[in-house]
Amino acid sequence: MNSPTSRLVRAHLWVAFAAFAVAALMGAAQMLVRSELTAPAERPETYFISVTAHGTLMAYVLPTLFIMGFGYFVAVTALNRELPSMKAAWIAYWIAVVGIAMAAVTVFLGKATVLYTFYPPLTGSVFYYLGLVLVVVGSWIWCVQMLLAMRNWKREHPGVPVPLAMFATVANAVLWLWTTVGVAAELLFQVIPAALGWKQTIDVGLSRTLFSWTLHAIVYFWLIPAYIAFYTMLPQAAGGRLYSDTMGRLAFILFLLYSLPVGMHHLFMDPEHGSGFKFLQMMLTSLVTVPTLLTIFTITASLEIAGRLRGGTGLFGWIKKLPWDRPMVLAGGLAFVMLGFGGFGGLINMSYGMNAMVHNTSWVTAHFHLIFGGSVVIMYFAIAYEIWPKLTGRPAWSVRPLRYQIWLWFIGTMTMTLPWHLLGLFGQPRRVSTFDYSFPQIAWWGPWTMMSVAGGAIMFLSAFYFVWNLAKVFRGEPRTDIHMTYALAVHPPHRLPAALNGFALWNWLVLFLMVIAYAYPILQFFIIDAPPAMIHRA
Amino acid sequence: MNEQEILRTELRWALIVAGAVGIIVAVIVVSSAAMVLHPPSNVETIDPTTLHLEGEFVENNLGSVENPDGTITARILATQFMFVPRCVVVPAGRRVTFRLTSPDVIHGMLIDGTNVNTMVMPGYVAQVNTTFPEPGDRFVPCHEYCGLGHGGMWSMIRVVPESEWKPDADGRMSCEFPY
């Protein structure tokens, strides 16, 4: 990779990982506050500022900046051509950085202690929201770059399949453009006018519904880089081949289709929607398991090819022969385990009736930390370790620290989320700074929260170990070969139908599904004329 | 491995996936239809600015009351940062209908050890039905962040045996919040 692009990619990744390190520290501190132990500065103000910052940095800054940087890397290495516009890419970067600074300063000053979900009538300072709007605007410029990069490449290579890594990256850009429509409408038409004092009341049913539009699909936006690594990096790192390129394309298309018309499963327990649309979106949610289940098969088959090529025999003998010492392979294996647990919990969350057991309890926090930490972030680590030598021209002097760091992350994530699942089932609410453990019904929670304290501390160690690894371990002998090689399919496609090589058809289908799933739920607020709520400025 | 063979294995797996998803959905559909398991979804609006002046959520109408048919209705107001009333008493073994709303911001309410769980939003009445099989005190926290005092916002449901359910002439009974 040439050095101007490398600088661009590294600039994005460092912002992402700096935000990650700060957020990890705050996460570990929050575990302490919730436990029976006493944390420094244990006051509701500091706790909720910390939760707001942790969520904002982890959910909006880390993934967005990582995905932008990684997307530029894929566009340049998979298509083997320059970005459409380096200038636009840097402008987008600085817009996002200014936005991050604006939002972060506002939160740390205690002017937007509203948590990172936009649920008015509780509203914070307008600078918090404007800062996040800038981050999204920066990411939109990235989306346009990805779309242009693929279009330009296709013009030069008529009829040739777009490399899978780029196809998936563009799928994510398209998904993100659709995803942000909901929250952008909520912020621009409802929350920001309220935060500016132009409006004194707000339709809370509408704002929650618009936020739900974004709320599920955003998780798939975060997750798609992990899947790009599963399909295009993991088989290569394991020394095998991708079992099926077509299945990969299909999985990314299904993510685009089914991660959007399902957000109302976050509103199952809301009084402003009837059971009909809740039921419909639950049915659609069940379909979002399909691309993940297809992926598990295709990737397991790809790894089996690698294991057998390395001399593995028997039904499971090939698993032992896989090169588990390589960070990408190790992270991939552990991510599958945690995706399994997290996915299982997710099936319970989406179950229309069972959701009442766990809604807004620690179970939910456990679920999304398992998915985000255990599948998304662990693969961000692996991707960073994989591409860092291509960016700097210097490999790691040892893979051992990289491996230890990944193991620590796995252990920490499992230790932290297991007690949350349990306590959530017994009604421990999320988003509470402290509990009165003298109340006999909840006294037994104490020891379990201590286990989460330990898990959080291990994750925090791992987070800093990761940053240290990037800064200090990639100091091996400089290499001239900095060419990125993506996994080759067993049968690389030569000709593909247009539907598997672009997104025009799928955009129409997304539109169709979104009209079915969301047209009435949004329009109903203009029909039933619910009394608005008074704005509460935090 | 030729391409056809790979395609066949993928299709076979896709059938298994379809079967698994089918079973999951079938379980949900059957339980929601046969056991009437539905999330709270009554879409009933109410003006949050006049709650305290008129209608069913005026102060002296809050808490639990026995209906003519023997069922119980419990009306609770979720405000920053407490539930009103903080203690609600209900008899075990009878059908209880909780009706909640908020005059200010979004709150949530769950009752530990049960599947009673709902968001409480200004502008809407949330309604949940349940029956408590056993007497005992239940922990009822607010589960949606509603401001800095959110952590202290919790109340209690006191489930008493039928013999201790002694409502007054209006069918009402109240309890003291002991904490």
Side-chain angles (χ1 to χ4, degrees):
Chain A
M1 155 156 283
N2 66 31
S3 57
T5 325
S6 164
R7 250 200 314 281
L8 178 74
V9 174
R10 275 182 293 164
H12 282 80
L13 298 190
W14 274 127
V15 172
F17 296 144
F20 167 65
V22 174
L25 174 64
M26 289 187 297
Q30 285 155 33
M31 290 292 84
L32 209 54
V33 179
R34 276 172 73 101
S35 76
E36 290 171 301
L37 300 175
T38 309
E42 184 167 324
R43 300 201 323 274
E45 289 90 330
T46 43
Y47 180 80
F48 288 117
I49 286 175
S50 165
V51 176
T52 306
H54 175 83
T56 303
L57 294 174
M58 287 292 197
Y60 303 141
V61 179
L62 162 68
T64 311
L65 272 285
F66 180 87
I67 288 165
M68 289 167 75
F70 182 48
Y72 292 134
F73 178 86
V74 170
V76 169
T77 53
L79 301 181
N80 212 5
R81 68 199 302 288
E82 298 284 300
L83 288 178
S85 165
M86 280 296 270
K87 200 169 160 193
W90 278 112
I91 290 172
Y93 172 79
W94 284 112
I95 290 175
V97 168
V98 168
I100 293 163
M102 201 158 134
V105 168
T106 313
V107 169
F108 286 120
L109 287 176
K111 302 288 183 200
T113 313
V114 289
L115 307 199
Y116 59 101
T117 40
F118 310 140
Y119 291 143
L122 206 60
T123 49
S125 157
V126 74
F127 292 104
Y128 174 62
Y129 302 111
L130 288 177
L132 293 177
V133 167
L134 289 181
V135 176
V136 171
V137 168
S139 71
W140 281 345
I141 298 174
W142 170 83
C143 290
V144 174
Q145 292 252 16
M146 292 300 106
L147 288 165
L148 287 178
M150 186 173 85
R151 193 200 61 177
N152 296 347
W153 185 89
K154 278 168 97 170
R155 278 190 185 156
E156 291 164 9
H157 304 80
V160 182
V162 176
L164 181 58
M166 189 58 191
F167 181 80
T169 301
V170 177
N172 208 14
V174 174
L175 172 63
W176 185 235
L177 288 172
W178 280 103
T179 301
T180 44
V181 169
V183 73
E186 187 202 358
L187 285 180
L188 299 180
F189 297 120
Q190 292 194 287
V191 175
I192 290 177
L196 282 169
W198 296 349
K199 285 210 272 181
Q200 302 312 322
T201 63
I202 196 158
D203 186 333
V204 288
L206 179 62
S207 64
R208 273 179 77 81
T209 307
L210 289 174
F211 194 69
S212 84
W213 169 308
T214 300
L215 198 48
H216 193 71
I218 194 173
V219 178
Y220 284 91
F221 170 66
W222 304 335
L223 197 55
I224 281 181
Y227 277 69
I228 294 176
F230 290 156
Y231 278 98
T232 69
M233 296 176 156
L234 179 54
Q236 175 77 14
R241 290 254 186 141
L242 174 60
Y243 191 63
S244 165
D245 180 276
T246 310
M247 270 316 194
R249 283 167 204 268
L250 214 56
F252 290 110
I253 288 165
L254 289 174
F255 277 136
L256 171 61
L257 292 181
Y258 291 120
S259 56
L260 280 153
V262 300
M264 263 175 68
H265 64 218
H266 292 260
L267 306 183
F268 279 162
M269 296 301 129
D270 276 34
E272 80 277 16
H273 287 292
S275 46
F277 277 91
K278 289 178 180 173
F279 193 80
L280 171 74
Q281 295 216 11
M282 184 280 294
M283 297 294 275
L284 289 165
T285 307
S286 68
L287 294 176
V288 91
T289 58
V290 172
T292 293
L293 292 171
L294 294 179
T295 301
I296 288 170
F297 179 79
T298 306
I299 300 309
T300 309
S302 311
L303 291 175
E304 183 177 344
I305 293 172
R308 295 203 186 283
L309 283 175
R310 298 171 65 89
T313 51
L315 202 52
F316 298 111
W318 56 270
I319 297 174
K320 278 206 305 275
K321 291 281 180 187
L322 288 172
W324 293 111
D325 56 326
R326 296 181 191 166
M328 176 60 75
V329 180
L330 177 66
L334 297 177
F336 265 36
V337 172
M338 291 192 278
L339 189 61
F341 282 108
F344 184 74
L347 284 176
I348 289 167
N349 301 342
M350 70 137 216
S351 299
Y352 176 80
M354 247 195 296
N355 181 265
M357 282 298 290
V358 295
H359 172 76
N360 259 1
T361 67
S362 299
W363 171 282
V364 175
T365 332
H367 164 71
F368 69 72
H369 278 78
L370 254 182
I371 294 287
F372 186 71
S375 311
V376 174
V377 174
I378 199 172
M379 292 311 290
Y380 287 6
F381 296 151
I383 291 169
Y385 289 156
E386 196 74 20
I387 71 176
W388 216 253
K390 320 289 178 193
L391 292 170
T392 61
R394 302 187 73 168
W397 48 258
S398 165
V399 288
R400 196 166 288 156
L402 315 184
R403 215 161 57 220
Y404 290 162
Q405 184 267 325
I406 288 168
W407 270 114
L408 270 183
W409 187 256
F410 170 74
I411 294 165
T413 308
M414 295 299 282
T415 313
M416 185 179 75
T417 54
L418 190 105
W420 288 359
H421 274 115
L422 180 79
L423 294 177
L425 270 182
F426 286 92
Q428 185 188 55
R430 62 189 281 207
R431 303 184 150 181
V432 171
S433 49
T434 49
F435 297 101
D436 185 353
Y437 292 102
S438 63
F439 189 62
Q441 267 76 353
I442 64 170
W444 65 276
W445 293 359
W448 290 101
T449 58
M450 288 306 299
M451 190 170 156
S452 292
V453 172
I458 298 170
M459 290 181 88
F460 160 70
L461 275 180
S462 174
F464 274 75
Y465 201 171
F466 169 69
V467 173
W468 187 86
N469 278 347
L470 281 192
K472 297 287 178 196
V473 176
F474 287 87
R475 294 280 176 91
E477 281 301 301
R479 271 194 208 153
T480 46
D481 175 29
I482 46 173
H483 183 71
M484 178 71 194
T485 315
Y486 294 96
L488 213 58
V490 176
H491 297 283
H494 297 293
R495 280 271 177 276
L496 280 175
L500 290 178
N501 206 32
F503 296 94
L505 168 70
W506 307 117
N507 274 320
W508 285 107
L509 213 52
V510 171
L511 181 66
F512 172 75
L513 287 169
M514 287 307 269
V515 167
I516 301 241
Y518 267 105
Y520 179 76
I522 289 174
L523 280 177
Q524 72 156 348
F525 296 107
F526 301 93
I527 300 168
I528 62 174
D529 211 21
M534 301 296 292
I535 296 293
H536 279 64
R537 296 190 172 82
Chain B
M1 264 177 300
N2 67 41
E3 228 165 331
Q4 289 307 314
E5 204 182 319
I6 289 183
L7 188 68
R8 257 200 310 279
T9 59
E10 293 277 13
L11 287 177
R12 217 177 299 142
W13 175 252
L15 278 178
I16 296 173
V17 168
V21 173
I23 290 170
I24 292 166
V25 170
V27 168
I28 297 169
V29 170
V30 168
S31 66
S32 63
M35 299 159 69
V36 204
L37 272 182
H38 294 288
S41 310
N42 54 323
V43 200
E44 185 184 338
T45 61
I46 188 166
D47 189 344
T49 55
T50 56
L51 285 178
H52 57 297
L53 301 174
E54 57 184 32
E56 63 175 292
F57 289 96
V58 293
E59 195 172 356
N60 60 15
N61 199 39
L62 298 175
S64 47
V65 58
E66 183 169 331
N67 300 310
D69 63 357
T71 62
I72 309 293
T73 300
R75 292 188 180 80
I76 301 172
L77 206 57
T79 68
Q80 280 175 324
F81 297 100
M82 63 194 262
F83 290 103
V84 186
R86 290 199 74 181
C87 185
V88 172
V89 56
V90 296
R94 285 212 231 171
R95 185 177 168 85
V96 181
T97 300
F98 287 97
R99 287 175 63 78
L100 298 98
T101 192
S102 159
D104 41 53
V105 301
I106 298 175
H107 301 276
M109 175 262 210
L110 66 80
I111 305 179
D112 90 282
T114 73
N115 56 4
V116 173
N117 194 328
T118 185
M119 300 304 298
V120 185
M121 292 172 47
Y124 296 87
V125 179
Q127 180 171 309
V128 205
N129 300 309
T130 196
T131 304
F132 296 93
E134 301 288 334
D137 286 352
R138 299 256 163 229
F139 175 62
V140 183
C142 172
H143 65 54
E144 184 58 77
Y145 177 70
C146 52
L148 294 180
H150 166 58
M153 181 170 170
W154 61 281
S155 66
M156 239 181 69
I157 304 288
R158 173 156 290 169
V159 186
V160 294
E162 190 63 41
S163 57
E164 288 171 33
W165 172 252
K166 295 190 176 97
D168 63 14
D170 297 330
R172 297 179 185 284
M173 192 171 161
S174 57
C175 54
E176 282 298 313
F177 186 71
Y179 296 93

